[in-house]
Amino acid sequence: MRASAPLWLALTLVPLTSFGAPATAQDVATLFRQWREFQRPPRVGGVPDYSAKAMAAQAGALPGWLSRVDALDVSRAPLPLRNDVRLIRAEMKGLDFDHRVLSPWTRDPAFYLTIFDEQSDQPAREAEYADAAVELWAFKFPLSADAARELLDGLRVVPPLLAQARKNLTGDGKDLWRMAGGPIREQMAALTALATKISSNGALSSAVKSALDATEGYRRWVEQQAATKTGPSGVGVTNYDWYLANVALIPYTHAQLVTLHERELGRARATLAAEELKNRALPPQLPATTVEEHQRRFDDALGTWLRFLRENDFITWEDWMGPALGTLPGGFDPRPPLEFFSEVEARDPLLLRLHMWHFMDLAVLARRPPADPVRARPALYNIFATRTEGFATALEELMMHAGLFEGRPRSRELVYVMLGQRAARALGDLHMHDNTWTLEQASEFAAKATPRGWLRLDGRTVRGEQLLFLRRPSYGTTYIVGKAMTDQLIASMSRNGPLPMKALLDGLNRTGLLPMSLVVQELEVP
C-alpha cells in the first residue's frame, strides 16, 4: 500500500541538514528519492487516486517540500550538485503549476489514458498521464508468467481509472475536450491489437475486453461532454512566463519566444529558397515508394552517419552507439498520402537519423550509475525537452555545416523544411496558450507556413502535435529554443578556434538530460 497523505506531511518535517550545515550529495539524493515518492498520487485498491480530496492533500503538503529544497545549502558545492538541486526545485514547481494552473486531472480527458503500444523517443512520454502506464511495446510475446501478471495488473486499472475520470473531470477547455477523441481511439486500437496476442489466456482476454469496453464508454462520454464545453484551453501569458522561468528553466519570456520563432521561421523559409535556387538544375528528390527502396536508403544513410562520426573522431565511440543511432521507431509505411516526417524520411533517411539522437540519449540515460539518482531518471514534466528536442534539432544543421551532406545537395533543403515546420508549429503553442488562437487556427497556420505543403491539414500530425503543445505548455518551443541555447554553447566552446565537436558530444553524454540552460552552464568555457 502506498504512503497516505499524513505520512507525506510527516516527511516534510524531517530536516535534511542540521543547523545550516552544507548539504552533501547524499542529502540531495535522499531528498530526491523522497520527493519522487511524494509526487506520485496515492493508490486506492491499486488505482491512482486523483480525487479532489487526494489532490488537495498533496497540494497542502507541497510547500513543505519546497521549504526543504530551499533549505539545502549547496552554495559551495560543485556546479553539478547545485544543478541537481535546481532540477529538483523545478520539478516541485512543476507540481505546484499542476495544482494551481494546469490541473490535468480535472481539465484534460487524455490524461487518463494509460495504454501505449509504441515506444516514445523521449525519456518520458510527452505531456502528462496518470501514474498507471502500460507500455505494451516493452512486453515480449509469448509472455512469461511474471510478465502476464504485470500486464494483467495494469489492464485491471483501466476501468476503475476511467470511471474515476468521469468524476474528476470538470474543466471547460473546449479544445482539450474536443481533441481527446484521437488519443482515446489510439488506446482502443492498442487494446484491440493486444487481444489477438493474448487470446489463449483467459484472464488476460477478459481484462482486455473490460478495458476496451471501458475505453469505448469513456470515448462516448467525452464526446457528449465536449459538446457542452466553451472555455479556453490555454494557460495565459502570465502563467506561461512563470512556467518558463520556474519549471522549464527556459531563459526567455513568451513575447521573446514569439519573436524568436517568427525570426526562425523566416530564416528557414528564406534559406530553403536559396538552397532551391542553387539546386534548380538538379533533378527533384523523389520519395521511396516501396519498403525495400526505403530500407536501401536507410542503410546507406545510417552507414554514412556512423562513418562520419567515427572517421572524424567526433565522439568517444562505444559499440552500443551504432544500434542506438540506427533505431527506426515505428517502421516506415510508403503508402501515400504521407505524413510530414514520412515525406522527409522517404526522400533521405539521413535527416531523421540525426534527430533520432534521441535513442543515443535514452541509451546514455540507461547507463547512468544508480548512485546518481537525479540524473539517472527522466526529469518530470518534460523538463528535459530543451536538451533532447533542442539538441536533436540543432544537430541537423550543425552536421550539415560540418560536411555530412556533401554530395546530398537536395537533402540540405530538407534541413530547412524541418526547421520551418518546427518554428511554425511552435507559434501555435505560443498563441494557443495566450488564447488568441484555437487549436484549429494553430493547425491551419502550421500547415500553411510549413514549406512544401507536407504538413497536411487533413493528416494526423498537425493536430496531434498542437494537442500535445496545448497539454504541455512550451513543449512546442523546445526544439528552436533548445537549438538557440545549443548555439550559445557552441559559440562558447569555439571561442578560441574551431568547434571541439568531440568535447561537445562527449560533454552532452556526460552531463545527461538536464534542461539545456543547465547543460550550457556545465559545459560552456569561462
Side-chain angles (χ1 to χ4, degrees):
M1 179 67 69
R2 290 277 328 286
S4 60
L7 180 55
W8 297 352
L9 290 165
L11 279 173
T12 67
L13 302 177
V14 178
L16 192 64
T17 56
S18 300
F19 308 108
T24 66
Q26 185 57 51
D27 293 330
V28 174
T30 297
L31 175 59
F32 176 73
R33 292 188 181 99
Q34 293 175 350
W35 149 248
R36 282 298 190 91
E37 178 66 15
F38 163 78
Q39 186 271 343
R40 300 179 66 193
R43 286 182 176 253
V44 177
V47 180
D49 183 5
Y50 292 98
S51 66
K53 180 179 179 181
M55 293 298 95
Q58 189 183 58
L62 183 56
W65 290 88
L66 286 163
S67 295
R68 285 186 69 190
V69 75
D70 288 342
L72 287 174
D73 179 6
V74 290
S75 58
R76 288 164 288 177
L79 179 59
L81 187 62
R82 300 202 306 271
N83 279 342
D84 284 351
V85 173
R86 291 185 178 107
L87 184 60
I88 296 170
R89 183 182 292 108
E91 290 190 349
M92 292 181 182
K93 296 283 190 177
L95 183 59
D96 174 51
F97 189 81
D98 268 5
H99 282 291
R100 291 188 301 105
V101 180
L102 206 59
S103 190
W105 43 83
T106 67
R107 298 178 67 245
D108 181 7
F111 173 77
Y112 290 96
L113 303 175
T114 55
I115 307 298
F116 306 103
D117 61 355
E118 289 188 2
Q119 180 181 11
S120 173
D121 59 19
Q122 292 300 295
R125 289 206 169 271
E126 301 95 326
E128 197 166 348
Y129 293 94
D131 182 35
V134 179
E135 301 286 353
L136 294 179
W137 59 270
F139 286 91
K140 306 300 182 186
F141 294 88
L143 297 170
S144 67
D146 288 344
R149 282 192 292 271
E150 178 185 351
L151 179 55
L152 184 61
D153 288 344
L155 290 169
R156 285 175 170 167
V157 169
V158 173
L161 182 62
L162 294 181
Q164 182 190 143
R166 300 192 192 201
K167 300 176 182 178
N168 297 343
L169 285 166
T170 58
D172 191 42
K174 179 179 179 179
D175 281 338
L176 287 171
W177 283 84
R178 183 176 66 85
M179 294 301 298
I184 296 172
R185 284 188 288 272
E186 290 176 5
Q187 173 155 307
M188 293 174 63
L191 288 166
T192 300
L194 175 63
T196 65
K197 298 179 181 179
I198 49 83
S199 57
S200 61
N201 185 312
L204 280 175
S205 293
S206 177
V208 169
K209 184 179 185 306
S210 295
L212 189 55
D213 290 345
T215 307
E216 169 60 19
Y218 185 61
R219 181 192 64 78
R220 292 195 300 268
W221 179 80
V222 168
E223 288 182 354
Q224 292 167 357
Q225 295 297 309
T228 70
K229 306 300 181 180
T230 59
S233 296
V235 300
V237 172
T238 299
N239 287 324
Y240 199 98
D241 281 344
W242 191 93
Y243 186 87
L244 292 172
N246 292 280
V247 184
L249 303 185
I250 292 176
Y252 294 83
T253 64
H254 178 278
Q256 289 170 328
L257 289 178
V258 171
T259 300
L260 173 65
H261 285 84
E262 289 176 342
R263 173 67 188 100
E264 197 69 352
L265 177 58
R267 186 181 78 88
R269 292 179 65 94
T271 309
L272 172 61
E275 289 286 341
E276 291 173 334
L277 176 65
K278 181 177 66 175
N279 298 334
R280 64 190 181 279
L282 298 177
Q285 190 177 41
L286 299 176
T289 58
T290 66
V291 172
E292 292 76 18
E293 175 59 17
H294 170 262
Q295 187 65 52
R296 185 193 67 76
R297 296 187 190 191
F298 180 94
D299 292 342
D300 170 75
L302 179 60
T304 298
W305 174 215
L306 298 185
R307 285 192 301 273
F308 188 74
L309 280 174
R310 301 189 69 176
E311 290 174 2
N312 286 286
D313 195 27
F314 279 168
I315 192 169
T316 299
W317 188 260
E318 297 184 53
D319 288 342
W320 54 265
M321 293 180 175
L325 292 174
T327 303
L328 178 62
F332 176 75
D333 184 349
R335 293 173 296 180
L338 299 178
E339 295 291 326
F340 174 80
F341 289 106
S342 293
E343 292 277 12
V344 176
E345 178 74 13
R347 285 165 171 80
D348 189 347
L350 183 56
L351 273 295
L352 290 177
R353 303 292 66 69
L354 295 173
H355 199 81
M356 286 304 112
W357 192 265
H358 294 331
F359 288 94
M360 171 77 84
D361 291 338
L362 295 181
V364 171
L365 182 66
R367 286 166 172 75
R368 291 198 80 89
D372 182 18
V374 178
R375 303 193 190 199
R377 299 174 66 178
L380 300 175
Y381 311 111
N382 302 142
I383 298 172
F384 49 73
T386 49
R387 161 63 179 80
T388 56
E389 302 287 20
F391 177 70
T393 301
L395 191 66
E396 297 159 14
E397 196 169 358
L398 175 62
M399 288 301 168
M400 180 187 72
H401 290 311
L404 178 60
F405 288 84
E406 296 301 318
R408 304 169 106 98
R410 288 290 190 188
S411 296
R412 293 173 60 91
E413 300 170 12
L414 300 179
V415 172
Y416 296 105
V417 172
M418 292 209 299
L419 190 61
Q421 188 254 6
R422 282 144 183 166
R425 67 188 188 181
L427 287 165
D429 175 325
L430 290 158
H431 291 310
M432 285 190 298
H433 281 293
D434 67 21
N435 288 312
T436 60
W437 288 357
T438 65
L439 187 144
E440 190 62 24
Q441 289 171 318
S443 300
E444 290 172 356
F445 174 84
K448 183 177 180 179
T450 294
R452 297 188 176 175
W454 289 352
L455 188 61
R456 297 182 297 107
L457 195 56
D458 63 347
R460 299 185 307 276
T461 301
V462 63
R463 291 181 183 84
E465 289 179 334
Q466 295 304 322
L467 177 60
L468 163 61
F469 305 154
L470 193 56
R471 298 180 64 212
R472 171 56 62 210
S474 85
Y475 196 103
T477 73
T478 60
Y479 301 78
I480 300 297
V481 74
K483 179 183 184 298
M485 286 188 274
T486 302
D487 290 343
Q488 173 189 343
L489 177 59
I490 289 171
S492 170
M493 296 182 75
S494 56
R495 186 175 300 157
N496 299 315
L499 169 65
M501 188 75 79
K502 190 171 188 176
L504 173 64
L505 298 184
D506 285 355
L508 288 167
N509 282 350
R510 182 177 67 255
T511 54
L513 305 185
L514 302 175
M516 198 67 195
S517 55
L518 301 187
V519 174
V520 171
Q521 288 181 11
E522 295 192 12
L523 295 184
E524 66 183 349
V525 177

